[in-house]
Amino acid sequence: MAYTIIEVSQKTGVSPRTLRYWCDNGLFPLIERSSGGARYFSKSDVEWVEWVVRFRKMGCAWSVCVSI
């Protein structure tokens, strides 16, 4: 199942703007896109967003999250 950025935002509490930033800066290098450019997240992508939220709450730097 593929999730839209709005659905991921609602599930995780991460704003669409932050999700777009993360996508554009390498956190999701294999994210699917529609012909119109809409991002589609897989179930594992959503789980990864949840992990990143946890890492950030623990104080991990952005570069650590991207390199994992």
Side-chain angles (χ1 to χ4, degrees):
M1 176 175 188
Y3 299 93
T4 66
I5 201 163
I6 297 298
E7 292 170 325
V8 175
S9 178
Q10 291 170 344
K11 285 175 105 28
T12 63
V14 177
S15 73
R17 183 176 180 158
T18 298
L19 291 168
R20 285 185 198 94
Y21 176 83
W22 288 355
C23 289
D24 294 343
N25 287 284
L27 193 58
F28 299 98
L30 303 176
I31 197 84
E32 291 183 45
R33 290 205 180 222
S34 70
S35 59
R39 295 166 175 90
Y40 289 103
F41 294 76
S42 68
K43 182 178 179 190
S44 63
D45 292 330
V46 175
E47 291 169 354
W48 181 237
V49 170
E50 292 167 343
W51 276 104
V52 171
V53 169
R54 289 182 194 115
F55 291 143
R56 299 291 293 150
K57 283 182 180 177
M58 292 186 316
C60 289
W62 171 251
S63 58
V64 172
C65 293
V66 172
S67 66
I68 293 177

